[in-house]
Amino acid sequence: MNREVDLRYLFRPRATAVIGASAHPDKIGYKLLHNIRASGYAGRIYPINPKVKEIDGLPCHASLAEVDDHEIDLVSIVIPAKGVYDAVRECAEKKTPFASIITSGFSEVGNLAEEQRIVALAREHGVRILGPNIFGIYSAAAPINATFGPPDVKAGNVAIITQSGALGIAMIGKTKIENIGLSAIVSVGNKSDLDEADLLQYLVADDATKVILMYIEGVKDGDRLVEILHRATRVKPVVVIKSGRSKRGAMAAASHTGSLAGADEIFSDVMRQCGVNRAETIQEALDWCKFLSCSPAPHGENAVIVTNGGGIGVLAADACEKFQVNLYDDTETLKEIFRPVTPEFGSTKNPVDITGQAQAKEYEAALEASFATEAIDAVICLGCETATIDVDLLEQSLLRVHARHGDKKPIVLSFFGGEKTEAGIGRLRTAGLPIYADVYQAVSCLGAAYVHYRNLKNAMATPAPVDPPVIDLPAINAVVERVRNDGRTFLLAHEAQEVARAAGLLMPKSGVARNLDEAVRLAESIGYPVVMKVVSKDIIHKSDAGGVALDLEDRAEVLDAYEAIMHNCRIHAPRARIEGVEVGEMVKKGTETIIGARRDASFGPVIMFGLGGIYVEVMKDISFRAWPIDRGEAMAMIKEIRSYPLLLGVRGEERKDIDGVIDTILRVGALLAGCPAVSDIEVNPLVVYDQGHGVKAVDMRILLYPPKGASHA
Ligand code: ACO
C-alpha cells in the first residue's frame, strides 16, 4: 500500500511558529527560535508565549490563534508534555499541516496513552506529527534550522534521518568537521506518526539530496520500509546504521529455525536485499556518505590497485573481496597499460606494484594510465611512506591527477606512514580527495559505490517474469481450521504433510495404515524399503516410545514392525489414542538443507535458508529475505550462505538440484504469506539430490498463532 505523504511544506514551510519560544537563552525554546532566525529562513516566524511580548526584537503572540497568518506550515512545540495536547489542538484549529514535537515524556517513558491521544487528535484534523521526543528538523531547501542543535549546519547533498536525538545533534557537528554538507537532517524520535519511510519517500524525490543516511534503532512498519527502500536504492544510495546487534530481540524460539538468528541478522539480510549499505559504525557511515556524495559513480566493475608496496596491496585485495570490489584481471591489458610506468622488478598484475622506489612522477604516470584506460572503471591508489619518496611532490601529483580526472571515475586513496604522511593526508582531505589512513576504510567506500552501481544496473535490467507458485490455499486453510477446532497450535505430522502436498512441496510418498493389511498394501504401492511411524497426538516422542521402524525391506518386515510398534506404544503409553501407523518411503541420502519461514515482528513474513546439520546449528550459516521474493532473489539468498559451494558439488560430486530448492523456498513463502493463522514453518530436512533429481521435504513443522489471549499450546 502506498500512502505517500506530501511533505513539501515540512521541508519548505512558508511560515513557522514556535509554541514555547522563550527569552531565556538557556532554554530549548530560545535555542530553537534562535536557530531558525540564524539559518537565514526567509518565511514568517511567530514565537508563541503568553508571558512575553517579544524575543530578541521579534513580537510574541499569546497563542497560535492570535496570529493572522494562514500559511503557518510548521509549528515546533517546546513546552512540557502536559501542555502538548492543547498545543496540537491549536495547530489543528489553525489548520497547520505539520507539528514538530520536541518535548520528551511520552511513549519512551511508558506514556504511550498520551502520545496516542495526541496523534489521534492530529490525524482527525489533518495535522502530521514529527516526534515527539526529537531535536527537530533542518532543511537546506527552505533554508530552516528548526532544531535545538548547533546553529551552523553545513548545507549540501546528504540527508540524514535519525531516530536518536542526541546522536543526530552530534552528527550535525561531526558532518561539519568532516566537510559533509546536509540537504536535511530530521529527527523522528518516537515515530508516533511520520516515520523514516515517509521521509525517505520525500527525500528520494528531492533533487537536492544525493545520498540518504538513516540511523535506526527499531523498525515499526517493516514491510512498508522494505518496499520504499527497494525503490529508493534504485534512485540514490541509502546508508543505514542500526544499533542493537544483541540477541535480545531474537526470534522467538518457537521453532527450531526461529532460534537460529536474532533480529539483527534478519535486519542485515533484509537491508542487503533492499540494496542498502549497512554501516557498522558511525564513522564508516559518514565515510560512505561523504564519498558517495562527491564521487562520480563507476561505469563498470573493473577496479585497479596502484601501490608502491606489496603488503598494502595485498591488504587492499583482501578488502576488495570483503567489500565486493572486483579487481580487473586481464593480465595482458594490464601489462600493456602499466609496463611503461612500472620497473622490471615491479608487477603489472593487479595490484599493480610500481615498487618502493616509485616517486611522485611514477605515481602520476600510473594513475594517468589508469584513468586513460577505458577498461578500468575505478582506481585504488595506495602507498607506504618510504625513505626516498618526496611526500610534498607526491601530494602535488595526487592533487593534479584528482583535479584532472576526479570527476570521471571513482578513485580512493590510502597512504600509511609517519607524521609527514599523516599531515599530507589531512591536507589532501581538506582539498576534497577521498584519502584515508586505513586501506579497508578506503576500499569500503568504493564498495558502497559498487552497491549503488549494482542497484542501478538491476533497476535497468528487464525483470524476470514473476511466476508465483500455485498453492491450494482452501485445502491448506481447511487443515488449519481443523487443528484450531481441535484446540491445538501445532500440526501433527500427517496434517503437516497434507498442507505440504497442498502447497506443492515434494514429499516422500506416505500414507496412514489403520491395520496390518493396509500397512502392507501401502508399503507395496510405495515400494521397499519403507519406514513406519506411529500416528498419535498423545505420543510426541515416537522413537522413545518404540513407535518408529526404519529400512523395512519386505512384507514380512512390515508385518513384524506393525505388531512391534503397536505393542511398544501400548506399553509405553497405555492411554494413548493410536490413529494408525504411517508408512512412508525410506528417503535416499542427499544434501540436507533447511527452509524456515516466520512472521517477524518488524518485517512481517520472512524466509530463511541454510544447509542442515552443523552448518545451521553450529555455524549459523543462514540467509534471510523479507517476503515476497522472486526466483532471482531466492537464488541470491541460496548463494549468500558460506556453504553454497557444497550445492555446486565439491570433490567430484554433481551439482545439486538448486532449482528444486528455489521452488520450495517460493512455495513455503507463499504458504506463510497466504495463511495468516500460521506463525512458523520449518522444512527440515529438505533433502536435495543431484541436478535433475529433485528435492524431498522429509519433515515439515507448522505452528499456528494461539487464539487471542492464549499462549502456544
Ligand atoms: N504556549 C506557549 N508557551 C508556553 C505554553 C503554551 N501552552 N506552555 C508553556 N509555555 C512557555 C513557558 O511559559 C516557558 O516560557 P518562559 O521561558 O518565558 O518561561 C516556555 O514555554 C517553556 O516552558 P517551560 O515550562 O519553561 O519548559 P522547559 O523549557 O523547561 O522545557 C521542554 C520544555 C524542553 C520541551 C521539556 O519539557 C522537554 O521535553 N525536554 C526534553 C527535550 C528533549 O530532549 N527532546 C528530545 C530531543 S533529542 C535528544 O535526545 C537530544
Side-chain angles (χ1 to χ4, degrees), residues 291 295-304 325-328 350 370-371 373-380 405 408-411 446 449-450 453:
F291 183 71
S295 168
H299 292 295
E301 292 278 0
N302 295 330
V304 72
V325 174
N326 181 57
L327 289 177
Y328 184 48
N350 200 359
S370 311
F371 279 106
T373 305
E374 211 171 308
I376 294 175
D377 303 301
V379 183
I380 301 163
H405 307 292
K408 297 186 186 79
K409 293 178 189 177
I411 176 170
L446 200 54
Y450 270 113
Y453 166 77

PDB file of all heavy atoms in Angstrom, residues 291 295-304 325-328 350 370-371 373-380 405 408-411 446 449-450 453:
ATOM      1  N   PHE A 291      31.859  10.039   0.546  1.00  0.00           N
ATOM      2  CA  PHE A 291      32.373   9.547  -0.739  1.00  0.00           C
ATOM      3  C   PHE A 291      31.258   9.510  -1.789  1.00  0.00           C
ATOM      4  O   PHE A 291      31.412  10.002  -2.902  1.00  0.00           O
ATOM      5  CB  PHE A 291      32.985   8.159  -0.541  1.00  0.00           C
ATOM      6  CG  PHE A 291      33.588   7.605  -1.791  1.00  0.00           C
ATOM      7  CD1 PHE A 291      34.762   8.148  -2.308  1.00  0.00           C
ATOM      8  CD2 PHE A 291      32.989   6.560  -2.470  1.00  0.00           C
ATOM      9  CE1 PHE A 291      35.318   7.653  -3.478  1.00  0.00           C
ATOM     10  CE2 PHE A 291      33.536   6.058  -3.634  1.00  0.00           C
ATOM     11  CZ  PHE A 291      34.706   6.607  -4.140  1.00  0.00           C
ATOM     12  N   SER A 295      31.772  11.604  -5.141  1.00  0.00           N
ATOM     13  CA  SER A 295      32.470  10.841  -6.180  1.00  0.00           C
ATOM     14  C   SER A 295      31.566  10.566  -7.378  1.00  0.00           C
ATOM     15  O   SER A 295      30.363  10.370  -7.221  1.00  0.00           O
ATOM     16  CB  SER A 295      32.917   9.518  -5.564  1.00  0.00           C
ATOM     17  OG  SER A 295      33.348   8.656  -6.570  1.00  0.00           O
ATOM     18  N   PRO A 296      32.165  10.496  -8.572  1.00  0.00           N
ATOM     19  CA  PRO A 296      31.361  10.010  -9.697  1.00  0.00           C
ATOM     20  C   PRO A 296      31.072   8.526  -9.494  1.00  0.00           C
ATOM     21  O   PRO A 296      31.824   7.843  -8.802  1.00  0.00           O
ATOM     22  CB  PRO A 296      32.283  10.222 -10.902  1.00  0.00           C
ATOM     23  CG  PRO A 296      33.661  10.232 -10.340  1.00  0.00           C
ATOM     24  CD  PRO A 296      33.554  10.773  -8.952  1.00  0.00           C
ATOM     25  N   ALA A 297      29.989   8.040 -10.100  1.00  0.00           N
ATOM     26  CA  ALA A 297      29.653   6.618  -9.957  1.00  0.00           C
ATOM     27  C   ALA A 297      30.503   5.801 -10.931  1.00  0.00           C
ATOM     28  O   ALA A 297      30.840   6.300 -12.003  1.00  0.00           O
ATOM     29  CB  ALA A 297      28.182   6.419 -10.255  1.00  0.00           C
ATOM     30  N   PRO A 298      30.858   4.568 -10.573  1.00  0.00           N
ATOM     31  CA  PRO A 298      31.584   3.736 -11.537  1.00  0.00           C
ATOM     32  C   PRO A 298      30.680   3.359 -12.710  1.00  0.00           C
ATOM     33  O   PRO A 298      29.461   3.320 -12.570  1.00  0.00           O
ATOM     34  CB  PRO A 298      31.967   2.501 -10.720  1.00  0.00           C
ATOM     35  CG  PRO A 298      31.044   2.478  -9.557  1.00  0.00           C
ATOM     36  CD  PRO A 298      30.602   3.869  -9.307  1.00  0.00           C
ATOM     37  N   HIS A 299      31.287   3.114 -13.865  1.00  0.00           N
ATOM     38  CA  HIS A 299      30.500   2.692 -15.035  1.00  0.00           C
ATOM     39  C   HIS A 299      30.664   1.209 -15.310  1.00  0.00           C
ATOM     40  O   HIS A 299      30.110   0.677 -16.258  1.00  0.00           O
ATOM     41  CB  HIS A 299      30.922   3.486 -16.266  1.00  0.00           C
ATOM     42  CG  HIS A 299      30.551   4.929 -16.151  1.00  0.00           C
ATOM     43  ND1 HIS A 299      29.240   5.349 -16.110  1.00  0.00           N
ATOM     44  CD2 HIS A 299      31.302   6.039 -16.015  1.00  0.00           C
ATOM     45  CE1 HIS A 299      29.205   6.657 -15.974  1.00  0.00           C
ATOM     46  NE2 HIS A 299      30.449   7.106 -15.891  1.00  0.00           N
ATOM     47  N   GLY A 300      31.494   0.549 -14.528  1.00  0.00           N
ATOM     48  CA  GLY A 300      31.708  -0.876 -14.721  1.00  0.00           C
ATOM     49  C   GLY A 300      32.378  -1.453 -13.492  1.00  0.00           C
ATOM     50  O   GLY A 300      32.672  -0.740 -12.534  1.00  0.00           O
ATOM     51  N   GLU A 301      32.634  -2.765 -13.536  1.00  0.00           N
ATOM     52  CA  GLU A 301      33.072  -3.484 -12.335  1.00  0.00           C
ATOM     53  C   GLU A 301      34.592  -3.549 -12.145  1.00  0.00           C
ATOM     54  O   GLU A 301      35.055  -4.094 -11.163  1.00  0.00           O
ATOM     55  CB  GLU A 301      32.545  -4.924 -12.390  1.00  0.00           C
ATOM     56  CG  GLU A 301      31.031  -5.051 -12.254  1.00  0.00           C
ATOM     57  CD  GLU A 301      30.561  -5.016 -10.803  1.00  0.00           C
ATOM     58  OE1 GLU A 301      31.411  -4.886  -9.903  1.00  0.00           O
ATOM     59  OE2 GLU A 301      29.347  -5.115 -10.586  1.00  0.00           O
ATOM     60  N   ASN A 302      35.374  -3.029 -13.091  1.00  0.00           N
ATOM     61  CA  ASN A 302      36.816  -3.283 -13.047  1.00  0.00           C
ATOM     62  C   ASN A 302      37.598  -2.241 -12.264  1.00  0.00           C
ATOM     63  O   ASN A 302      37.776  -1.115 -12.733  1.00  0.00           O
ATOM     64  CB  ASN A 302      37.379  -3.342 -14.463  1.00  0.00           C
ATOM     65  CG  ASN A 302      36.817  -4.523 -15.224  1.00  0.00           C
ATOM     66  OD1 ASN A 302      36.486  -5.543 -14.625  1.00  0.00           O
ATOM     67  ND2 ASN A 302      36.681  -4.372 -16.520  1.00  0.00           N
ATOM     68  N   ALA A 303      38.093  -2.653 -11.091  1.00  0.00           N
ATOM     69  CA  ALA A 303      38.911  -1.728 -10.301  1.00  0.00           C
ATOM     70  C   ALA A 303      40.371  -2.147 -10.405  1.00  0.00           C
ATOM     71  O   ALA A 303      40.689  -3.324 -10.615  1.00  0.00           O
ATOM     72  CB  ALA A 303      38.475  -1.757  -8.847  1.00  0.00           C
ATOM     73  N   VAL A 304      41.277  -1.157 -10.262  1.00  0.00           N
ATOM     74  CA  VAL A 304      42.694  -1.469 -10.286  1.00  0.00           C
ATOM     75  C   VAL A 304      43.344  -0.866  -9.039  1.00  0.00           C
ATOM     76  O   VAL A 304      42.951   0.208  -8.585  1.00  0.00           O
ATOM     77  CB  VAL A 304      43.344  -0.954 -11.595  1.00  0.00           C
ATOM     78  CG1 VAL A 304      43.469   0.559 -11.617  1.00  0.00           C
ATOM     79  CG2 VAL A 304      44.703  -1.582 -11.816  1.00  0.00           C
ATOM     80  N   VAL A 325      34.511  -5.522  -4.288  1.00  0.00           N
ATOM     81  CA  VAL A 325      35.046  -4.686  -5.361  1.00  0.00           C
ATOM     82  C   VAL A 325      35.823  -5.636  -6.267  1.00  0.00           C
ATOM     83  O   VAL A 325      36.710  -6.353  -5.808  1.00  0.00           O
ATOM     84  CB  VAL A 325      35.971  -3.588  -4.793  1.00  0.00           C
ATOM     85  CG1 VAL A 325      36.650  -2.817  -5.919  1.00  0.00           C
ATOM     86  CG2 VAL A 325      35.177  -2.649  -3.890  1.00  0.00           C
ATOM     87  N   ASN A 326      35.467  -5.647  -7.516  1.00  0.00           N
ATOM     88  CA  ASN A 326      36.053  -6.617  -8.439  1.00  0.00           C
ATOM     89  C   ASN A 326      37.366  -6.092  -9.017  1.00  0.00           C
ATOM     90  O   ASN A 326      37.418  -4.997  -9.568  1.00  0.00           O
ATOM     91  CB  ASN A 326      35.038  -6.855  -9.562  1.00  0.00           C
ATOM     92  CG  ASN A 326      35.534  -7.861 -10.550  1.00  0.00           C
ATOM     93  OD1 ASN A 326      35.854  -8.986 -10.169  1.00  0.00           O
ATOM     94  ND2 ASN A 326      35.637  -7.467 -11.796  1.00  0.00           N
ATOM     95  N   LEU A 327      38.436  -6.883  -8.880  1.00  0.00           N
ATOM     96  CA  LEU A 327      39.732  -6.439  -9.407  1.00  0.00           C
ATOM     97  C   LEU A 327      39.886  -6.888 -10.864  1.00  0.00           C
ATOM     98  O   LEU A 327      39.687  -8.062 -11.188  1.00  0.00           O
ATOM     99  CB  LEU A 327      40.871  -6.994  -8.544  1.00  0.00           C
ATOM    100  CG  LEU A 327      40.979  -6.341  -7.159  1.00  0.00           C
ATOM    101  CD1 LEU A 327      42.076  -6.994  -6.346  1.00  0.00           C
ATOM    102  CD2 LEU A 327      41.218  -4.842  -7.264  1.00  0.00           C
ATOM    103  N   TYR A 328      40.226  -5.941 -11.693  1.00  0.00           N
ATOM    104  CA  TYR A 328      40.405  -6.200 -13.126  1.00  0.00           C
ATOM    105  C   TYR A 328      41.539  -7.210 -13.295  1.00  0.00           C
ATOM    106  O   TYR A 328      42.623  -7.023 -12.730  1.00  0.00           O
ATOM    107  CB  TYR A 328      40.757  -4.876 -13.802  1.00  0.00           C
ATOM    108  CG  TYR A 328      40.891  -4.930 -15.300  1.00  0.00           C
ATOM    109  CD1 TYR A 328      39.926  -5.549 -16.082  1.00  0.00           C
ATOM    110  CD2 TYR A 328      41.970  -4.320 -15.930  1.00  0.00           C
ATOM    111  CE1 TYR A 328      40.039  -5.566 -17.459  1.00  0.00           C
ATOM    112  CE2 TYR A 328      42.088  -4.338 -17.309  1.00  0.00           C
ATOM    113  CZ  TYR A 328      41.120  -4.970 -18.069  1.00  0.00           C
ATOM    114  OH  TYR A 328      41.240  -4.984 -19.423  1.00  0.00           O
ATOM    115  N   ASN A 350      47.361  -7.073 -11.135  1.00  0.00           N
ATOM    116  CA  ASN A 350      46.555  -6.273 -10.210  1.00  0.00           C
ATOM    117  C   ASN A 350      46.593  -6.924  -8.835  1.00  0.00           C
ATOM    118  O   ASN A 350      46.158  -8.069  -8.737  1.00  0.00           O
ATOM    119  CB  ASN A 350      45.117  -6.229 -10.766  1.00  0.00           C
ATOM    120  CG  ASN A 350      44.310  -5.088 -10.205  1.00  0.00           C
ATOM    121  OD1 ASN A 350      44.787  -4.322  -9.383  1.00  0.00           O
ATOM    122  ND2 ASN A 350      43.070  -4.995 -10.655  1.00  0.00           N
ATOM    123  N   SER A 370      45.806   4.689 -15.662  1.00  0.00           N
ATOM    124  CA  SER A 370      44.556   4.068 -15.184  1.00  0.00           C
ATOM    125  C   SER A 370      43.346   4.862 -15.673  1.00  0.00           C
ATOM    126  O   SER A 370      42.355   4.292 -16.136  1.00  0.00           O
ATOM    127  CB  SER A 370      44.504   4.020 -13.660  1.00  0.00           C
ATOM    128  OG  SER A 370      45.689   3.499 -13.145  1.00  0.00           O
ATOM    129  N   PHE A 371      43.437   6.183 -15.552  1.00  0.00           N
ATOM    130  CA  PHE A 371      42.290   6.999 -15.952  1.00  0.00           C
ATOM    131  C   PHE A 371      42.090   6.978 -17.468  1.00  0.00           C
ATOM    132  O   PHE A 371      40.972   7.090 -17.949  1.00  0.00           O
ATOM    133  CB  PHE A 371      42.448   8.445 -15.443  1.00  0.00           C
ATOM    134  CG  PHE A 371      42.043   8.582 -14.003  1.00  0.00           C
ATOM    135  CD1 PHE A 371      42.986   8.733 -12.994  1.00  0.00           C
ATOM    136  CD2 PHE A 371      40.702   8.534 -13.652  1.00  0.00           C
ATOM    137  CE1 PHE A 371      42.598   8.840 -11.667  1.00  0.00           C
ATOM    138  CE2 PHE A 371      40.306   8.639 -12.325  1.00  0.00           C
ATOM    139  CZ  PHE A 371      41.260   8.789 -11.331  1.00  0.00           C
ATOM    140  N   THR A 373      42.574   4.478 -19.416  1.00  0.00           N
ATOM    141  CA  THR A 373      42.180   3.160 -19.934  1.00  0.00           C
ATOM    142  C   THR A 373      40.691   2.927 -19.727  1.00  0.00           C
ATOM    143  O   THR A 373      40.191   2.921 -18.599  1.00  0.00           O
ATOM    144  CB  THR A 373      42.983   2.054 -19.208  1.00  0.00           C
ATOM    145  OG1 THR A 373      44.358   2.351 -19.368  1.00  0.00           O
ATOM    146  CG2 THR A 373      42.674   0.694 -19.776  1.00  0.00           C
ATOM    147  N   GLU A 374      40.016   2.718 -20.822  1.00  0.00           N
ATOM    148  CA  GLU A 374      38.559   2.581 -20.747  1.00  0.00           C
ATOM    149  C   GLU A 374      38.124   1.355 -19.949  1.00  0.00           C
ATOM    150  O   GLU A 374      37.112   1.379 -19.251  1.00  0.00           O
ATOM    151  CB  GLU A 374      37.993   2.503 -22.153  1.00  0.00           C
ATOM    152  CG  GLU A 374      36.601   3.089 -22.221  1.00  0.00           C
ATOM    153  CD  GLU A 374      36.120   3.205 -23.651  1.00  0.00           C
ATOM    154  OE1 GLU A 374      36.853   3.792 -24.476  1.00  0.00           O
ATOM    155  OE2 GLU A 374      35.061   2.658 -23.921  1.00  0.00           O
ATOM    156  N   ALA A 375      38.942   0.307 -20.033  1.00  0.00           N
ATOM    157  CA  ALA A 375      38.566  -0.940 -19.348  1.00  0.00           C
ATOM    158  C   ALA A 375      38.633  -0.812 -17.830  1.00  0.00           C
ATOM    159  O   ALA A 375      38.121  -1.664 -17.107  1.00  0.00           O
ATOM    160  CB  ALA A 375      39.483  -2.060 -19.803  1.00  0.00           C
ATOM    161  N   ILE A 376      39.294   0.227 -17.342  1.00  0.00           N
ATOM    162  CA  ILE A 376      39.394   0.395 -15.882  1.00  0.00           C
ATOM    163  C   ILE A 376      38.313   1.371 -15.420  1.00  0.00           C
ATOM    164  O   ILE A 376      38.194   2.475 -15.941  1.00  0.00           O
ATOM    165  CB  ILE A 376      40.809   0.879 -15.491  1.00  0.00           C
ATOM    166  CG1 ILE A 376      41.815  -0.231 -15.805  1.00  0.00           C
ATOM    167  CG2 ILE A 376      40.863   1.273 -14.015  1.00  0.00           C
ATOM    168  CD1 ILE A 376      43.250   0.149 -15.573  1.00  0.00           C
ATOM    169  N   ASP A 377      37.529   0.923 -14.424  1.00  0.00           N
ATOM    170  CA  ASP A 377      36.373   1.713 -14.003  1.00  0.00           C
ATOM    171  C   ASP A 377      36.567   2.414 -12.666  1.00  0.00           C
ATOM    172  O   ASP A 377      35.809   3.320 -12.322  1.00  0.00           O
ATOM    173  CB  ASP A 377      35.144   0.791 -13.887  1.00  0.00           C
ATOM    174  CG  ASP A 377      34.868   0.068 -15.187  1.00  0.00           C
ATOM    175  OD1 ASP A 377      34.643   0.763 -16.188  1.00  0.00           O
ATOM    176  OD2 ASP A 377      34.918  -1.183 -15.207  1.00  0.00           O
ATOM    177  N   ALA A 378      37.536   1.963 -11.866  1.00  0.00           N
ATOM    178  CA  ALA A 378      37.748   2.585 -10.558  1.00  0.00           C
ATOM    179  C   ALA A 378      39.199   2.368 -10.149  1.00  0.00           C
ATOM    180  O   ALA A 378      39.811   1.367 -10.531  1.00  0.00           O
ATOM    181  CB  ALA A 378      36.820   1.968  -9.520  1.00  0.00           C
ATOM    182  N   VAL A 379      39.728   3.311  -9.363  1.00  0.00           N
ATOM    183  CA  VAL A 379      41.150   3.256  -9.025  1.00  0.00           C
ATOM    184  C   VAL A 379      41.323   3.287  -7.502  1.00  0.00           C
ATOM    185  O   VAL A 379      40.668   4.074  -6.803  1.00  0.00           O
ATOM    186  CB  VAL A 379      41.896   4.467  -9.649  1.00  0.00           C
ATOM    187  CG1 VAL A 379      43.393   4.385  -9.367  1.00  0.00           C
ATOM    188  CG2 VAL A 379      41.637   4.551 -11.144  1.00  0.00           C
ATOM    189  N   ILE A 380      42.189   2.396  -7.031  1.00  0.00           N
ATOM    190  CA  ILE A 380      42.557   2.398  -5.611  1.00  0.00           C
ATOM    191  C   ILE A 380      44.043   2.725  -5.578  1.00  0.00           C
ATOM    192  O   ILE A 380      44.864   1.936  -6.061  1.00  0.00           O
ATOM    193  CB  ILE A 380      42.286   1.017  -4.973  1.00  0.00           C
ATOM    194  CG1 ILE A 380      40.802   0.651  -5.100  1.00  0.00           C
ATOM    195  CG2 ILE A 380      42.732   0.998  -3.512  1.00  0.00           C
ATOM    196  CD1 ILE A 380      40.506  -0.824  -4.893  1.00  0.00           C
ATOM    197  N   HIS A 405      41.001  14.333 -13.305  1.00  0.00           N
ATOM    198  CA  HIS A 405      40.161  13.161 -13.608  1.00  0.00           C
ATOM    199  C   HIS A 405      39.164  12.785 -12.506  1.00  0.00           C
ATOM    200  O   HIS A 405      38.399  11.841 -12.699  1.00  0.00           O
ATOM    201  CB  HIS A 405      41.052  11.928 -13.846  1.00  0.00           C
ATOM    202  CG  HIS A 405      42.109  12.145 -14.860  1.00  0.00           C
ATOM    203  ND1 HIS A 405      41.818  12.325 -16.194  1.00  0.00           N
ATOM    204  CD2 HIS A 405      43.463  12.226 -14.748  1.00  0.00           C
ATOM    205  CE1 HIS A 405      42.955  12.490 -16.862  1.00  0.00           C
ATOM    206  NE2 HIS A 405      43.952  12.442 -16.017  1.00  0.00           N
ATOM    207  N   LYS A 408      35.651  11.839 -13.264  1.00  0.00           N
ATOM    208  CA  LYS A 408      35.344  10.887 -14.353  1.00  0.00           C
ATOM    209  C   LYS A 408      35.141   9.458 -13.845  1.00  0.00           C
ATOM    210  O   LYS A 408      34.229   8.761 -14.252  1.00  0.00           O
ATOM    211  CB  LYS A 408      36.473  10.894 -15.388  1.00  0.00           C
ATOM    212  CG  LYS A 408      36.609  12.270 -16.050  1.00  0.00           C
ATOM    213  CD  LYS A 408      37.606  12.255 -17.181  1.00  0.00           C
ATOM    214  CE  LYS A 408      37.819  13.656 -17.707  1.00  0.00           C
ATOM    215  NZ  LYS A 408      38.735  14.465 -16.861  1.00  0.00           N
ATOM    216  N   LYS A 409      36.033   9.039 -12.962  1.00  0.00           N
ATOM    217  CA  LYS A 409      35.943   7.677 -12.419  1.00  0.00           C
ATOM    218  C   LYS A 409      36.174   7.773 -10.921  1.00  0.00           C
ATOM    219  O   LYS A 409      36.929   8.643 -10.484  1.00  0.00           O
ATOM    220  CB  LYS A 409      37.069   6.794 -12.973  1.00  0.00           C
ATOM    221  CG  LYS A 409      37.011   6.496 -14.421  1.00  0.00           C
ATOM    222  CD  LYS A 409      38.226   5.655 -14.827  1.00  0.00           C
ATOM    223  CE  LYS A 409      38.266   5.546 -16.332  1.00  0.00           C
ATOM    224  NZ  LYS A 409      39.444   4.813 -16.812  1.00  0.00           N
ATOM    225  N   PRO A 410      35.602   6.864 -10.145  1.00  0.00           N
ATOM    226  CA  PRO A 410      35.886   6.922  -8.717  1.00  0.00           C
ATOM    227  C   PRO A 410      37.334   6.548  -8.405  1.00  0.00           C
ATOM    228  O   PRO A 410      37.888   5.628  -9.029  1.00  0.00           O
ATOM    229  CB  PRO A 410      34.923   5.911  -8.107  1.00  0.00           C
ATOM    230  CG  PRO A 410      34.435   5.089  -9.221  1.00  0.00           C
ATOM    231  CD  PRO A 410      34.640   5.839 -10.506  1.00  0.00           C
ATOM    232  N   ILE A 411      37.916   7.279  -7.503  1.00  0.00           N
ATOM    233  CA  ILE A 411      39.250   6.929  -7.011  1.00  0.00           C
ATOM    234  C   ILE A 411      39.204   7.028  -5.491  1.00  0.00           C
ATOM    235  O   ILE A 411      38.574   7.941  -4.943  1.00  0.00           O
ATOM    236  CB  ILE A 411      40.350   7.837  -7.593  1.00  0.00           C
ATOM    237  CG1 ILE A 411      41.716   7.488  -6.971  1.00  0.00           C
ATOM    238  CG2 ILE A 411      40.053   9.318  -7.399  1.00  0.00           C
ATOM    239  CD1 ILE A 411      42.912   8.160  -7.632  1.00  0.00           C
ATOM    240  N   LEU A 446      34.574   2.516  -1.757  1.00  0.00           N
ATOM    241  CA  LEU A 446      34.375   2.080  -3.142  1.00  0.00           C
ATOM    242  C   LEU A 446      33.312   0.972  -3.181  1.00  0.00           C
ATOM    243  O   LEU A 446      32.464   0.936  -4.084  1.00  0.00           O
ATOM    244  CB  LEU A 446      35.714   1.583  -3.702  1.00  0.00           C
ATOM    245  CG  LEU A 446      35.839   1.524  -5.214  1.00  0.00           C
ATOM    246  CD1 LEU A 446      35.494   2.858  -5.848  1.00  0.00           C
ATOM    247  CD2 LEU A 446      37.264   1.120  -5.603  1.00  0.00           C
ATOM    248  N   ALA A 449      29.991   2.407  -3.210  1.00  0.00           N
ATOM    249  CA  ALA A 449      29.642   2.936  -4.541  1.00  0.00           C
ATOM    250  C   ALA A 449      29.220   1.794  -5.464  1.00  0.00           C
ATOM    251  O   ALA A 449      28.319   1.947  -6.291  1.00  0.00           O
ATOM    252  CB  ALA A 449      30.824   3.686  -5.137  1.00  0.00           C
ATOM    253  N   TYR A 450      29.862   0.632  -5.290  1.00  0.00           N
ATOM    254  CA  TYR A 450      29.506  -0.504  -6.149  1.00  0.00           C
ATOM    255  C   TYR A 450      28.132  -1.072  -5.795  1.00  0.00           C
ATOM    256  O   TYR A 450      27.423  -1.581  -6.662  1.00  0.00           O
ATOM    257  CB  TYR A 450      30.596  -1.574  -6.130  1.00  0.00           C
ATOM    258  CG  TYR A 450      31.603  -1.307  -7.230  1.00  0.00           C
ATOM    259  CD1 TYR A 450      32.905  -0.943  -6.944  1.00  0.00           C
ATOM    260  CD2 TYR A 450      31.205  -1.363  -8.564  1.00  0.00           C
ATOM    261  CE1 TYR A 450      33.804  -0.655  -7.965  1.00  0.00           C
ATOM    262  CE2 TYR A 450      32.099  -1.078  -9.588  1.00  0.00           C
ATOM    263  CZ  TYR A 450      33.389  -0.731  -9.286  1.00  0.00           C
ATOM    264  OH  TYR A 450      34.249  -0.442 -10.304  1.00  0.00           O
ATOM    265  N   TYR A 453      25.974   1.097  -7.725  1.00  0.00           N
ATOM    266  CA  TYR A 453      26.135   0.802  -9.159  1.00  0.00           C
ATOM    267  C   TYR A 453      25.287  -0.426  -9.531  1.00  0.00           C
ATOM    268  O   TYR A 453      24.561  -0.426 -10.521  1.00  0.00           O
ATOM    269  CB  TYR A 453      27.624   0.553  -9.455  1.00  0.00           C
ATOM    270  CG  TYR A 453      27.887  -0.083 -10.786  1.00  0.00           C
ATOM    271  CD1 TYR A 453      27.836   0.672 -11.965  1.00  0.00           C
ATOM    272  CD2 TYR A 453      28.176  -1.441 -10.883  1.00  0.00           C
ATOM    273  CE1 TYR A 453      28.062   0.080 -13.197  1.00  0.00           C
ATOM    274  CE2 TYR A 453      28.407  -2.033 -12.111  1.00  0.00           C
ATOM    275  CZ  TYR A 453      28.346  -1.277 -13.267  1.00  0.00           C
ATOM    276  OH  TYR A 453      28.570  -1.862 -14.480  1.00  0.00           O
TER     277      TYR A 453
END
